[in-house]
Every structure is written in C-alpha cells, then in structure tokens.
Amino acid sequence: MKRSALIAAGALLLGLVTAGQAHAAEHPPGCARVTQIGKTGHVGDHGQTWASVKQFKGCGKNWAYVYTWTETHNAGAPYTPKLLSIEQWAHKDAREPYGHPGLVKGKYRQKELWSTGTDTLNDCTSAYVEWYSGAMTYAARTDIRC
C-alpha cells in the first residue's frame, strides 16, 4: 500500500509541474500550417535570455513571432513586446532594411505575439522585435532569408 501511495503522490506532483508550463503557439491566427525559416533570434543581456523571435512561412505569407519565455513571465517581470514585424532587405548583405510590413504592437506582459501575414516570400526578410524590459528596450532579429 505504501508503494501505491508513493506512485499516486508522484503522479500528482508531476501533474502539477507540467500543468503550469505554457507552450508557444503553433501557428498564427488564420493560418493553420507554418514552417520556421531561418535561425531563432534571442532577446536578452549579460548571458540571460528572456524571449525569442522567429520567422515563419505559411499560407503564402511570411510571419514574425515573439515568445517571452515562461520563466521570465512567471517571475512577474515587467515587459512589453513593443513592436514586431517582418523586415524587408534589398539583399542578404544590406546594411539596413527598407521596409517593416506586418508591424504589430504588443501589450504589457503579452507573452506571445504574431505579426500580420506579409506578401514577402519572394523578398529577403527577417523577423524583428523590440522588447521593452521596464528599464531598457532590446532589439532582436532572426537571420536574413532570401
């Protein structure tokens, strides 16, 4: 009987630990199937990472996505994903983007945010985020994909 009580207690504890974990959204609103393109960019400083930004393609469009990590969110950190967009580049080695289609603004402590879909699949693009920590604004982007 002790063994079954121990197993039940372990199962309950496991349920409590996994039930509180949030997972990133699998797709943007209105598009059920997307594929990540390029490398993930990270928001952070001094060896800490607080959020990630990714670029996706799907439904004939490009999408930018920012996800604030669960540990950061659950710690009660003051943050805002100020803006998120797809960046358009003239070529892979360009110094600056020439456009920011799909631009959206986030809300205070909004854990995840998708840009609007953009008609930029034939352009060089990256995903870009400005993430405000309550004290500073950090910018991050994915690599440029052509």
Side-chain angles (χ1 to χ4, degrees):
M1 191 162 238
K2 288 182 182 179
R3 183 176 179 191
S4 62
L6 184 59
I7 291 171
L12 176 63
L13 182 58
L14 182 61
L16 291 174
V17 169
T18 58
Q21 294 176 347
H23 299 284
E26 295 178 13
H27 55 82
C31 182
R33 194 174 197 136
V34 292
T35 302
Q36 182 175 345
I37 56 175
K39 295 179 183 174
T40 301
H42 295 97
V43 176
D45 198 12
H46 300 295
Q48 296 181 338
T49 303
W50 307 305
S52 56
V53 61
K54 297 180 180 187
Q55 180 178 194
F56 291 88
K57 67 177 181 176
C59 300
K61 298 185 182 295
N62 278 48
W63 307 84
Y65 174 71
V66 62
Y67 177 77
T68 299
W69 290 12
T70 299
E71 295 82 7
T72 302
H73 183 79
N74 289 349
Y79 69 88
T80 304
K82 286 177 63 172
L83 62 90
L84 175 69
S85 73
I86 290 291
E87 294 179 306
Q88 291 175 291
W89 300 81
H91 52 81
K92 195 170 187 128
D93 298 320
R95 295 176 61 110
E96 295 180 8
Y98 67 84
H100 287 87
L103 179 75
V104 293
K105 294 182 179 183
K107 298 178 181 145
Y108 180 72
R109 292 187 43 81
Q110 185 171 358
K111 189 169 183 179
E112 53 191 306
L113 179 64
W114 285 94
S115 72
T116 59
T118 66
D119 295 321
T120 55
L121 287 176
N122 294 323
D123 299 339
C124 293
T125 58
S126 61
Y128 175 80
V129 66
E130 288 184 6
W131 194 88
Y132 180 67
S133 72
M136 289 186 65
T137 299
Y138 297 88
R141 70 172 42 99
T142 64
D143 59 331
I144 300 169
R145 301 290 296 186
C146 295

